[in-house]
Structure formats: structure tokens, C-alpha cells
Amino acid sequence: MKKHFLQLIFTGLSLFSFISCDESSNDTTTPAGEQKFVLGIEAEGGQDVLLTADTINQGEISPIGNGLEQPAWMSFFKAGDMVIAAGYTSDNIFTGYSLNGEGGQLVNQGQLITDQGVYATTNVDDNYFIAIGAPREGFEERTIYLIDKNDMSIESRAKTRIDERREEDLVAFPTGVSVVGDKLFISYFLTGTGATVPAFATPKAETAKIAVYNYPSMEFVKLIEDTRSSEIGRYTTDFSLQEDESGTIYTFSTSSLASGFLPTPTTPSGFLRIKNGETDFDTDYFFNFQEKSGGYKINTAVYLGDGKMLVRAVMSDQVHWSAYSPNIDEGLEHLSFMIADLNDQTITPVANIPMTGGGWEMAALVKEGKVYVNVSNSTGANIYEIDIATSTASKGASIVGHYTKAIFELEAAAE
């Protein structure tokens, strides 16, 4: 595992100062309604860059002299027709970007600052985006931020405890959020506050846990658990709770040391679900991914449509946090790609794609029967195109930098 990541986890590095430069990767007009790719890339210098590209299937994509430079340790979220860049720990700045029709450039649509670091987000509709804030230690209340995307402002803040177990020095840390109808769901893991139990230790990770709220009132309803799998999601994942076409929520549990859980749960890695209109786990459904894959564990998973998930799977689960290193040393790569059918509960490895390092999240764009992902290791970074129907991959654009943190597609707005 890279030394700089260990420093991040245990000490919370300060962010670099915010610098912005003009988007210069393409100076041709992009008519309203047309689309361009938007990528978040961690450059070799450590800073992040948000830039546009006409293609991701071939050639080279470089942040050098291109795009909008960001502080280091940024996260990037798709929020309808906008990309939101969010700072980490000490720099809780949210900046919204859209694509204009005059040169296809990224345009700053406004900024806001949250008083807590954000670790789970979801787009709600054309107007609203939700972010869940939490301190890294202590029993301070967590915050549900309702963000108005029209002017990048905080519409409301709802304070919540989620799940506190003071006698055990344990508190909830959010891993995912989803809104279905009039209910809001927050997945979380229990971790120490730093007083008697270390922060980010996971001594109660054997069961899956979700807090249920009413929406939009943010009124707490109940906590639900499932003993068939472990705590849902992982630190800094944006895919813990995903909806299918019917509004059913699917969750994934890693049970993985490499994905940050220590002590590591003995319950298997797998998928659970909550049917649309329900507020409890479906007792008739559990996809034991670990068993059916022959021992692999889920690191993260992205819903592809038609009941299928792309899984970035952990092959070797021996080193704590090792799944977070994007450019892991040669020979130590231990993440591979598989397509899981949620209905048939079958798993197909993706062919013609190398083992990869990890990262905060898995950059993935689903488009026209394909899914585009980042593959990075000691030799560099590339985008690969995976054909969903055949579970085969082909090499796309090469990346100048450590890795691609996010791949989106935006539609150019009318001027």
C-alpha cells in the first residue's frame, strides 16, 4: 500500500490550496444537446484535474495544460446534468460544473461549504442532491445536507445520530444514501470514536446495517439489520446503495480486510436488497458472492441495468486498506473485474482486462451496452471498455497521471 494513503487514513492530510485554470482541452463549439466525456484524473503531481474529452476509446488523455485544476484528494459526483467536485476533510468545498455550448467548456455553476466532511451522496431529482456529513472521530451529530443544484446552496441541514453505542465507544460512519419515494436510506458501518476504540476500527461489522428516514422531512424512522452479510459498502464509496429499474435497492457488503474492515467480518461478502415500497431487507434474497465466485470478495460494484452488476473483486485479502492503492507495486495487484447477474446469481469474469489497483471509488460510465472503467497499476493507467453482453474488454485511451477517479458524460447546455 502506498505510504501517502496510509497517512491520509490515519492522520487526514490537509488539502492543497485551490487553484483553477481555464478549460483548454477543446476549443471547438459543442452544440447544445450534444455530449462530451468529463473525467476526474489524479495527476502525477498529486493534484486532481477535471477535464473534458471527445473520446475515451483511443489516444491519450492528459491533464497537463488542460482542464480545471483541483486540490488533492477530491471526489467527483454526477448530479443530473452537473458534475460536483467535493473536497476532503479540512476543505469541504462543493463546486458544481456544467458543460456549455460555446466550446464545450466546463463552467463553474457555484460553490458551497459544508461544516463536516461528506462521505455519502446521491442525486435526488432535477433540483436536489443529498450529502451525508460526518466527523472523523467523536459523537458529534451527523448531518443530512439537502443541496439545491439550481444555485449550489444548502437548502436545509438535518442533524441526526444515526446509530450511537456510547457504552461501546462506537458510532455510525455513513457509506451510502438513497432516496426512493418518501423514504431515505443511509448505510453505515460502526467504528470507534477514538476514545477507547480506534477510529475506523470495525468491531461490530458482522451484520448489514441501514438507517431509514422519511423524505423530505428527514425524520428518523428505524434501524434495520441483516445477519446474512456484513456492514454495507466501504469507506468513500459512492455505490453502496443502488436502484434497479423497478426502484428496488441493492446493497453490497465487502467483508474485506483489503477494503478497510478490521477486525474483518466472518460473514460472507454479498448482495442484499430492499424492494420498492419496503423498509426492510428482503428475507427471500441473498446473493452470496463470496461463495459463488470461489472465494472472491466485492470491493465495489456498479449497477449496469437489466439486473447486472459490474464488480471489482478482491482476490487477495491479506493487507489492510490495500484495495485503495491505485498504482500498487508490480505483482501485488489483487483486484479483478466480474459481471454478476443479480437475478440468476451467476458470476462471469471479464476477459482481456488486466488486474488493477484500487482507489477511493471505481470510475465507471455505463453507455450503450458498454461500461468504461479505470485500470491502473505500476505500469500506468488506461480506460478499458467492457462489453456487458459478452463480458469481454478492450483497451481504450491511456491516461497521463496516476489514475482516473471518475468518468462521466455531460450534455452541453444552451447558451
Side-chain angles (χ1 to χ4, degrees), residues 92 114-119 131-145 157-164 166 170-174 186 193 213 218 220:
N92 305 325
T114 60
D115 52 345
Q116 291 180 333
V118 165
Y119 301 95
I132 311 299
R136 293 175 62 83
E137 294 184 351
F139 284 107
E140 183 182 345
E141 289 178 306
R142 279 64 183 139
T143 307
I144 304 172
Y145 299 99
R157 295 174 175 85
K159 296 293 186 178
T160 180
R161 298 286 179 182
I162 303 181
D163 186 356
E164 286 188 354
R166 289 179 178 260
L170 296 176
V171 68
F173 198 89
I186 300 175
T193 70
Y213 296 78
M218 314 303 186
F220 175 75

Side-chain angles (χ1 to χ4, degrees), residues 184-399:
L184 180 147
F185 302 85
I186 300 175
S187 60
Y188 64 95
F189 60 82
L190 285 170
T191 185
T193 70
T196 60
V197 179
F200 298 102
T202 57
K204 294 286 186 178
E206 298 290 328
T207 61
K209 304 174 181 67
I210 285 180
V212 183
Y213 296 78
N214 287 324
Y215 179 82
S217 70
M218 314 303 186
E219 176 187 6
F220 175 75
V221 177
K222 63 180 179 179
L223 300 176
I224 60 174
E225 295 192 5
D226 196 304
T227 60
R228 294 172 294 176
S229 196
S230 65
E231 290 178 323
I232 293 166
R234 62 178 176 84
Y235 180 79
T236 68
T237 183
D238 202 38
F239 301 127
S240 300
L241 306 177
Q242 297 178 81
E243 298 170 42
D244 70 3
E245 293 83 349
S246 70
T248 291
I249 293 174
Y250 283 89
T251 75
F252 71 83
S253 300
T254 75
S255 299
S256 170
L257 178 69
S259 299
F261 285 88
L262 180 68
T264 306
T266 58
T267 42
S269 173
F271 295 99
L272 297 165
R273 74 182 181 190
I274 301 171
K275 288 184 175 180
N276 190 357
E278 303 292 329
T279 56
D280 291 292
F281 291 106
D282 182 353
T283 57
D284 294 327
Y285 184 88
F286 174 53
F287 183 172
N288 189 331
F289 181 89
Q290 188 172 337
E291 177 184 61
K292 295 188 177 183
S293 66
Y296 287 82
K297 296 181 178 181
I298 302 166
N299 171 249
T300 191
V302 174
Y303 187 66
L304 303 174
D306 297 324
K308 293 184 178 181
M309 284 272 191
L310 177 68
V311 177
R312 189 171 66 188
V314 176
M315 179 179 69
S316 173
D317 200 34
Q318 304 301 312
V319 180
H320 193 211
W321 297 116
S322 60
Y324 285 80
S325 180
N327 303 109
I328 198 165
D329 292 339
E330 183 177 4
L332 298 180
E333 299 93 342
H334 56 288
L335 298 178
S336 60
F337 295 93
M338 302 177 178
I339 292 180
D341 190 311
L342 299 171
N343 299 318
D344 297 340
Q345 297 196 19
T346 56
I347 299 165
T348 306
V350 175
N352 304 327
I353 192 168
M355 302 288 286
T356 183
W360 290 21
E361 189 45 272
M362 178 171 67
L365 170 66
V366 182
K367 177 180 172 65
E368 298 174 351
K370 308 291 195 299
V371 55
Y372 299 87
V373 297
N374 170 82
V375 174
S376 57
N377 46 47
S378 61
T379 64
N382 289 88
I383 293 173
Y384 272 75
E385 177 190 273
I386 299 172
D387 185 290
I388 298 169
T390 64
S391 195
T392 58
S394 58
K395 189 175 182 179
S398 63
I399 302 299

Side-chain angles (χ1 to χ4, degrees), residues 38-44 49 51-53 55-64 327 363 373-377 379-384 395-407:
V38 178
L39 292 83
I41 294 175
E42 183 182 282
E44 292 181 356
V49 178
L51 54 80
T52 64
T55 179
I56 55 178
N57 288 67
Q58 59 186 355
E60 179 182 89
I61 299 174
S62 174
I64 300 172
N327 303 109
V373 297
N374 170 82
V375 174
S376 57
N377 46 47
T379 64
N382 289 88
I383 293 173
Y384 272 75
K395 189 175 182 179
S398 63
I399 302 299
V400 178
H402 289 153
Y403 75 121
T404 304
K405 304 179 77 169
I407 308 170

